[in-house]
Each structure stands twice: as structure tokens, then as C-alpha cells.
């Protein structure tokens, strides 16, 4: 356990010692802010229409009209930023030779992989942490329900965990950061758009594709629904990717 | 302390290390010598548990590195060819991190880090980022991380590479100091380093061990014949040559320099035959001036070249010596 914490702290330190952490957090915050303003205007108009009685919908729910779409929009930011977080995790250690230090220290492969995963996850949580400010504004001037907000954050954390664990695995396959980053991005995008063709396929295929789509599972979280189906999907996705990473690190030793 | 038995490592179709065996006693400093690509780094990586061997066994500090890797790693310090530094960490932070993952107890970490920084003379750079260090400092920080958990076994891959002459001397002294309580394997292709720091040498070429011995014995064993270097002042060097050749035991005499009254001679005799007394008395009794008489020893360089350029490098050293 102590070893996992040591590796995670080392990862975090190196993110914050380099510009990576600040750039990832800073620019995500700008994008999030933009999405937020956008949805806020939209929500404002909807609310005015409802109040003006111009045949609009009844009362406008801030959770449904603003927060849920906002959470869905965050997944767009993740698509672009999380590959940047994970692409260096293993590639950089391999390129600079520091992997030799880790692999010749009394650590198990699983400890190294978990340490790196939690390091990335904490950085990602810090990135999400900035958005708490926006939520604070909503809570200060409106009265949204807090439960869907909490489940939304949980969903985002789990979805990010999926992306990060997959990115970690891809980074463990190559010495080259750009290669790792590009493949990670492509794989993320694939999991994102995998159900786009589902409306043209047979019902069975449609169900499978929808189940595989990483964003499809986020929907219920943003609406305040905690479904074990989605929890199982995310947790097993993370566990499986981390398992693949451990195997990949181990096989690296055999291949030399 | 270290036992390597029939170790073989293949990368796909290429065999990097082929059936090598050797042992290192406690407190010994063993030099690992070989040209580039001989399999030095591969052997060291196997010993440190970085990669498993294809065949064979390696026991470090009483633990099999494949069966009980964590126990063996806890007792091994390793300096890879490129020091494994994190450029964005300061030297102190880096050493604190290494001491933590090497299992140094929390209470001792600070004092251990300070201690190794002083021993390796990097304390003045403690707050500098590793990425901003010169090659010499990087190498020494690398050495510092290898000894931070006071391991029983130290494995150093070219510890003096990239250092300036003064730093090389300091590092060699440090390695010698460490030699008492640590068992050390160091690889190098700088030959004087071996004769200065190591008690025993393993010469490896193309994945095979070609010789294991002390530097002195290696020098002696490889001399096929004894050669004496002589400088003699005499009116006629041709007479001297004749006189020397007539001494029993002398097989040949060559005269590399015969200009002027002082000539130099190289006198060859059979292996193990000491003809120095006879040579001296022959010169003196003829009334010539004996200015110099000394044995020409094969330097470690020559041995190394000799062993590593032979095409049948697998043959043991003794046999090769006889063939000469």
C-alpha cells in the first residue's frame, strides 16, 4: 500500500513540476466555463419562455436542462485531455530508462500500475474539482437537487477512470509518447462513437453496441440514477484495463 | 553472495548471453569486462531482476532472483547504464522517493539521503533538478540511489562513464570503500579501472565467459613466453645479440633499436623460464654496460584484445596459452 502511495505521489509531483498539470487543468476549466455559459443562456431562455407563458414547457428543471447536459459535455473535454495525461506514464519511463529503477526495486508490477493509475486519477479529480465552483454558483442562485449532481460527479470519475486505465495500458505498449497519445485518442473516440451505427443494425447488435459505448453509461448518472449495470460496466472496464497493463509490463520483461 | 549458473538469455533468435556461470564471494569486487554488445548489460539486468533469464539460475544474497524477486531486489542496488533520474525532481526529492520504494524505514530516510549525498559528493546539488545536472553529477546521483538502502549487493553498469579524470578517481575510491561491506559487480571497458578496483575479473565476449581470474593471474597466464626488455651499451650490437642468443633457454632475440652505442634488445624465452640472472651475468662478464633489464608484461589491454578477437573465444584461457 505504501508503495502504491509512493508511486502515486511521484506521478503527481512530476505532473505538477511540469506544465502538464497546469495546462490540463487550466484549459479544461476554460472549456468547461464556455460550456457552462452556453447552457446557462439556454437555460435562461427556456426559463423565460416558461415564465412568459408563451406555450413553452411547464417549469424548467435546472438539473435536467443545465446540469445533465453539462456533465455530458465534460466527456468531450475528457476525450481530448485524458490522453495527454496518460500518454507519458509508461512511455516516458521507458524512454528515459527510469523504468529500470522501478522494475529493479522491491515493487510488484501491480503496485506500480495502481500507483500510476491513482496518480492520474487524482490529477483528473483536481481537474473536475475546478467545476465545483460552477456548481457552487448554481447552488447559490438557484435550487438544484444535489443528488443528481453527486451521481453525475461519480459517473464522470468512473468514466474518466476507464479512459485513464485504457490510456495507461496503451502507454505501456510503446516508448513513444506521441504514438501512445494518438492511439489512446483513437480508442477513446471509438468507444465514444461505437453506437452511432446502432440505429441501422439489428436489435441485438444495437443492444451490444449501446452497452459498449462508454458515454451511453454516463446518461443515467447525470440524471441521478445509480444503476448497477453502469457501475459494473465502468468498474470492470477499469479492472480489465489495469489487468492488461500489468500483463503488458510483465511481458515487456520477457521480450527484453 | 552472487551465484550465476548456466545463465542463458535469448532475444528472439539472437543469443545475448550463452551459458555463463560464475560466483562472487562476499565483500569481493568483481570486474565485468567485455567489448560493447558482449552481454554485460544483459547479465546485469538478469541479476537485478529487470528481466528473467531464458535458462539457468541466478542467486543474489541468498535469494533466487526468479523465485523470490522481491527479497533479492531488497538486497540489491543497481546503477543502470543511464542513471534512472526523473528530470523534474530535485536530487533530494529523488533520493527520498528511491529510499521509499527501496523500503528504507520512514524514520531513517532523511539521514540516509543526507549520508549518501555526502558520500557521493552531490550534497551541494541537493536542491537542483536532476534534469539540470551535468553528466558527472547524474552519474553520481545514480550511484547514490544504488547505495541508498545499504544493499548487500551492488551492481554497477559502467559507473565511471562520462566522468572527468578527477571524478573517476573519486568514484573508484568510493567503490573500493564500498567493497568491504558490499559485494560489487561492476562492468566497464576501461581496463585500468579493473586492475585498480577489482579483485577478480570476468572477461565476457559474444555472450561467453572467456576468462575468470585475478588481474595479475590473467596477465601471467596469458603470457605464452617471457620477454625481457634490455638496454645495453656495447661497441657492437651484433656481438651482443650473438652472446644473448647462445644462453640456454633463450629462444630468440630481436633488436628493435640499434642506433648508436646503446641498443635495446627484446629477449624471448620459454614460458616459466627465468633467464634474468644468466642475461645479466653474460652482459657484465663481457664488459658491456647493462643499463636496463625488465620483464615485458602483457598489459590488460593486450589480454583483452587477445581474448576478444580470437574467433574461438569459447576455449578456456589455459589452452590458448599453450597453443601460442
Amino acid at each position: 500500500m505504501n508503495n502504491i502511495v509512493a508511486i502515486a505521489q511521484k506521478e503527481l509531483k512530476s505532473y505538477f513540476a511540469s506544465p502538464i498539470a497546469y495546462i490540463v487543468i487550466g484549459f479544461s476549466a476554460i472549456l468547461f466555463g464556455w460550456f457552462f455559459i452556453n447552457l446557462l443562456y439556454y437555460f435562461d431562455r427556456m426559463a423565460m419562455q416558461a415564465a412568459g407563458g408563451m406555450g413553452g414547457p411547464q417549469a424548467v428543471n435546472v438539473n435536467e436542462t443545465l446540469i445533465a447536459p453539462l456533465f455530458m459535455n465534460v466527456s468531450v473535454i475528457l476525450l481530448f485531455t485524458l490522453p495527454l495525461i496518460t500518454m507519458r506514464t509508461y512511455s516516458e519511463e521507458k524512454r528515459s530508462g527510469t523504468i529500470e529503477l522501478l522494475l529493479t526495486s522491491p515493487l510488484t508490477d501491480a503496485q506500480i500500475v495502481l500507483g500510476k493509475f491513482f496518480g492520474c486519477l487524482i490529477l483528473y479529480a483536481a481537474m473536475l474539482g475546478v467545476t465545483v465552483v460552477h456548481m457552487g454558483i448554481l447552488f447559490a442562485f438557484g435550487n438544484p437537487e444535489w443528488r443528481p449532481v453527486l451521481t453525475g460527479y461519480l459517473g464522470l470519475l468512473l468514466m474518466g477512470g476507464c479512459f485513464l486505465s485504457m490510456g495507461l495500458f496503451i502507454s505501456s505498449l510503446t516508448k513513444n509518447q506521441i504514438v501512445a497519445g494518438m492511439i489512446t485518442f483513437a480508442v477513446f473516440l471509438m468507444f465514444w462513437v461505437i453506437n452511432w451505427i446502432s440505429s441501422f443494425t439489428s436489435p441485438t447488435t444495437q443492444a451490444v453496441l449501446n452497452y459498449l459505448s462508454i458515454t451511453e453509461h454516463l446518461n443515467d448518472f447525470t440524471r441521478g440514477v445509480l444503476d448497477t449495470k453502469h457501475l459494473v460496466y465502468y468498474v470492470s472496464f477499469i479492472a480489465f484495463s489495469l489487468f492488461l497493463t500489468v500483463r503488458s509490463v510483465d511481458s515487456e520483461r520477457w521480450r527484453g | 553472495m552472487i551465484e550465476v549458473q548456466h545463465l542463458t538469455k535469448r532475444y528472439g533468435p539472437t543469443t545475448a548471453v550463452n551459458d555463463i556461470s560464475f560466483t562472487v564471494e562476499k565483500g569481493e569486487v568483481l570486474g565485468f569486462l567485455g567489448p560493447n554488445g558482449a552481454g554485460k548489460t544483459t547479465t546485469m539486468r538478469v541479476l537485478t531482476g529487470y528481466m528473467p533469464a531464458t535458462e539457468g539460475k541466478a542467486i543474489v544474497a541468498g535469494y533466487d532472483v526468479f523465485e523470490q524477486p522481491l527479497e533479492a531486489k531488497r538486497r540489491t542496488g543497481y546503477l543502470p547504464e543511464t542513471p534512472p533520474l526523473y528530470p523534474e525532481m530535485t536530487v533530494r526529492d529523488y533520493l527520498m522517493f528511491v529510499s521509499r520504494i527501496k523500503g528504507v524505514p520512514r524514520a531513517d530516510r532523511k539521514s540516509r539521503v543526507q549520508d549518501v549525498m555526502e558520500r557521493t559528493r552531490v550534497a551541494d546539488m541537493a536542491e537542483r533538478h536532476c534534469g539540470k545536472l551535468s553528466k558527472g553529477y547524474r552519474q553520481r546521483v545514480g550511484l547514490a540511489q544504488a547505495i541508498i538502502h545499504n544493499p548487500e549487493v551492488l551492481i554497477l553498469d559502467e559507473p565511471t562513464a562520462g566522468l572527468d579524470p578527477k571524478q573517476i578517481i573519486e568514484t573508484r575510491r568510493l567503490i573500493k570503500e564500498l567493497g568491504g561491506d558490499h559485494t560489487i559487480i561492476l562492468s566497464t571497458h576501461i581496463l585500468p579501472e579493473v586492475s585498480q578496483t577489482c579483485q577478480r575479473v570476468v572477461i565476457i565476449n559474444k555472450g561467453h565467459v572467456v576468462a575468470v581470474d585475478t588481474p595479475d593471474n590473467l596477465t601471467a597466464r596469458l603470457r605464452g613466453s617471457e620477454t625481457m626488455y634490455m638496454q645495453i651499451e656495447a661497441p657492437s650490437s651484433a656481438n651482443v645479440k650473438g652472446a644473448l642468443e647462445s644462453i640456454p633457454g633463450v629462444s630468440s632475440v630481436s633488436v628493435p633499436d640499434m642506433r648508436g652505442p646503446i641498443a635495446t634488445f627484446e629477449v624471448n624465452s620459454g614460458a616459466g623460464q627465468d633467464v634474468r640472472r644468466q642475461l645479466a651475468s653474460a652482459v657484465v662478464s663481457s664488459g658491456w654496460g647493462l643499463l636496463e633489464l625488465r620483464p615485458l608484461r602483457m598489459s590488460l589491454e593486450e589480454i583483452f584484445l587477445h581474448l576478444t578477437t580470437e574467433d574461438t573465444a569459447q576455449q578456456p584461457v589455459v589452452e590458448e596459452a599453450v597453443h601460442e
Side-chain angles (χ1 to χ4, degrees):
Chain A
M1 190 59 210
N2 177 38
N3 288 333
I4 299 176
V5 176
I7 301 281
Q9 278 185 359
K10 185 225 94 187
E11 289 293 311
L12 275 175
K13 259 189 200 166
S14 62
Y15 281 124
F16 281 97
S18 68
I20 300 177
Y22 304 101
I23 289 180
V24 164
I25 292 177
F27 281 86
S28 307
I30 293 173
L31 288 172
F32 185 82
W34 191 250
F35 289 145
F36 180 73
I37 291 173
N38 226 331
L39 283 163
L40 197 60
Y41 276 128
Y42 175 72
F43 172 75
D44 203 32
R45 169 162 306 169
M46 296 299 277
M48 290 231 283
Q49 280 177 359
M54 292 167 73
Q58 322 90 340
V60 196
N61 182 318
V62 65
N63 286 86
E64 262 170 41
T65 323
L66 208 168
I67 298 176
L70 193 60
F71 278 138
M72 291 309 283
N73 280 340
V74 171
S75 51
V76 181
I77 303 178
L78 301 190
L79 184 65
F80 292 96
T81 48
L82 295 191
L84 300 177
I85 294 183
T86 57
M87 69 183 201
R88 54 173 285 291
T89 45
Y90 269 98
S91 308
E92 180 64 16
E93 302 248 18
K94 280 194 199 176
R95 197 192 52 78
S96 70
T98 46
I99 192 78
E100 276 195 81
L101 170 67
L102 296 184
L103 293 189
T104 58
S105 294
L107 306 169
T108 62
D109 291 345
Q111 285 171 342
I112 302 174
V113 170
L114 283 176
K116 282 179 173 293
F117 175 69
F118 285 118
C120 295
L121 198 66
I122 291 167
L123 175 64
Y124 166 55
M127 193 177 119
L128 283 184
V130 177
T131 66
V132 172
V133 176
H134 305 83
M135 293 301 158
I137 294 171
L138 291 182
F139 276 96
F141 295 98
N143 54 345
E145 267 188 79
W146 59 272
R147 281 193 196 86
V149 176
L150 273 192
T151 54
Y153 273 119
L154 177 68
L156 280 182
L157 214 54
L158 285 170
M159 187 174 100
C162 293
F163 279 159
L164 291 173
S165 56
M166 180 52 72
L168 209 59
F169 168 59
I170 292 165
S171 180
S172 76
L173 298 174
T174 170
K175 260 186 195 169
N176 190 319
Q177 288 192 38
I178 307 294
V179 170
M182 186 59 218
I183 298 178
T184 308
F185 176 69
V187 171
F188 285 8
L189 194 58
M190 199 60 216
F191 272 106
W192 173 281
V193 300
I194 200 161
N195 62 340
W196 281 15
I197 54 160
S198 61
S199 47
F200 308 111
T201 55
S202 70
T204 325
T205 324
Q206 184 177 5
V208 171
L209 289 179
N210 277 336
Y211 185 74
L212 281 178
S213 166
I214 209 160
T215 42
E216 199 63 30
H217 293 275
L218 189 63
N219 262 324
D220 279 351
F221 280 104
T222 63
R223 283 191 245 123
V225 179
L226 259 186
D227 190 337
T228 40
K229 181 176 88 174
H230 306 309
L231 276 174
V232 166
Y233 173 84
Y234 281 146
V235 171
S236 50
F237 192 111
I238 293 171
F240 184 63
S241 302
L242 292 180
F243 169 76
L244 284 183
T245 317
V246 173
R247 301 319 297 166
S248 152
V249 174
D250 192 38
S251 82
E252 184 75 12
R253 296 170 187 245
W254 289 93
R255 281 180 282 133
Chain B
M1 189 50 74
I2 302 174
E3 222 181 308
V4 176
Q5 294 164 1
H6 306 290
L7 199 78
T8 299
K9 175 74 191 177
R10 291 189 203 95
Y11 299 110
T14 42
T15 306
V17 171
N18 197 347
D19 191 22
I20 69 169
S21 305
F22 62 88
T23 56
V24 192
E25 299 302 321
K26 192 174 163 52
E28 196 176 28
V29 182
L30 179 89
F32 219 56
L33 210 61
N36 290 326
K40 295 181 303 240
T41 299
T42 302
T43 310
M44 293 187 146
R45 284 181 164 177
V46 170
L47 286 179
T48 53
Y50 178 69
M51 50 169 67
T54 315
E55 280 161 37
K57 206 171 167 184
I59 294 163
V60 172
Y63 294 94
D64 189 310
V65 293
F66 316 122
E67 309 279 322
Q68 291 160 293
L70 294 188
E71 292 301 320
K73 284 173 185 176
R74 218 160 265 152
R75 290 161 180 80
T76 313
Y78 175 42
L79 170 64
E81 220 168 342
T82 37
L85 308 182
Y86 291 103
E88 68 280 349
M89 283 191 188
T90 65
V91 172
R92 192 188 299 277
D93 280 352
Y94 170 71
L95 291 174
M96 285 299 280
F97 167 67
V98 177
S99 70
R100 197 169 166 191
I101 59 170
K102 297 279 183 186
V104 177
R106 178 187 286 267
D108 304 345
R109 278 180 211 150
K110 268 198 174 135
S111 59
R112 275 301 298 167
V113 167
Q114 195 58 38
D115 182 45
V116 294
M117 283 199 299
E118 271 154 27
R119 286 186 88 169
T120 53
R121 293 179 184 78
V122 295
D124 50 331
M125 292 289 170
E127 311 308 329
R128 181 80 67 100
H129 285 115
C130 290
K132 298 223 162 90
L133 296 176
S134 68
K135 183 84 177 85
Y137 270 104
R138 283 161 176 266
Q139 198 71 27
R140 282 182 285 162
V141 174
L143 197 58
Q145 65 81 21
I147 61 175
I148 193 130
H149 53 307
N150 203 15
E152 294 168 45
V153 172
L154 264 179
I155 294 180
L156 311 172
D157 202 347
E158 303 194 5
T160 56
L163 301 182
D164 69 33
K166 188 167 161 268
Q167 294 167 339
I168 289 180
I169 292 167
E170 279 175 1
T171 306
R172 281 182 194 155
R173 201 174 55 213
L174 179 64
I175 292 171
K176 264 191 175 168
E177 275 171 33
L178 292 168
D181 6 282
H182 304 260
T183 306
I184 303 180
I185 297 186
L186 67 91
S187 83
T188 180
H189 40 228
I190 308 166
L191 296 143
E193 193 156 290
V194 170
S195 40
Q196 281 171 30
T197 47
C198 305
Q199 281 119 33
R200 252 169 4 115
V201 187
V202 169
I203 297 183
I204 175 172
N205 188 34
K206 291 176 189 153
H208 294 277
V209 169
V210 281
V212 187
D213 216 326
T214 64
D216 287 344
N217 278 353
L218 269 182
T219 325
R221 272 165 71 181
L222 273 159
R223 256 178 300 147
S225 58
E226 310 271 341
T227 305
M228 293 296 157
Y229 175 88
M230 298 178 82
Q231 226 178 42
I232 299 166
E233 189 177 30
S236 154
S237 46
N239 285 350
V240 181
K241 188 170 186 269
L244 294 179
E245 273 170 345
S246 64
I247 294 169
V250 171
S251 48
S252 67
V253 177
S254 62
V255 192
D257 179 11
M258 52 192 301
R259 289 162 299 164
I262 300 172
T264 55
F265 299 85
E266 279 178 21
V267 181
N268 293 311
S269 57
Q273 287 194 350
D274 190 357
V275 291
R276 280 176 294 180
R277 281 170 205 82
Q278 291 87 321
L279 289 173
S281 67
V283 173
V284 173
S285 64
S286 311
W288 300 320
L290 179 59
L291 302 181
E292 199 175 344
L293 168 61
R294 61 180 164 89
L296 273 184
R297 279 179 178 266
M298 212 168 171
S299 70
L300 216 46
E301 251 101 3
E302 287 169 281
I303 296 169
F304 180 69
L305 283 176
H306 176 86
L307 284 175
T308 53
T309 47
E310 288 285 295
D311 42 359
T312 51
Q314 302 158 21
Q315 287 184 357
V317 176
V318 199
E319 280 179 43
E320 283 183 11
V322 173
H323 288 315
E324 268 197 338

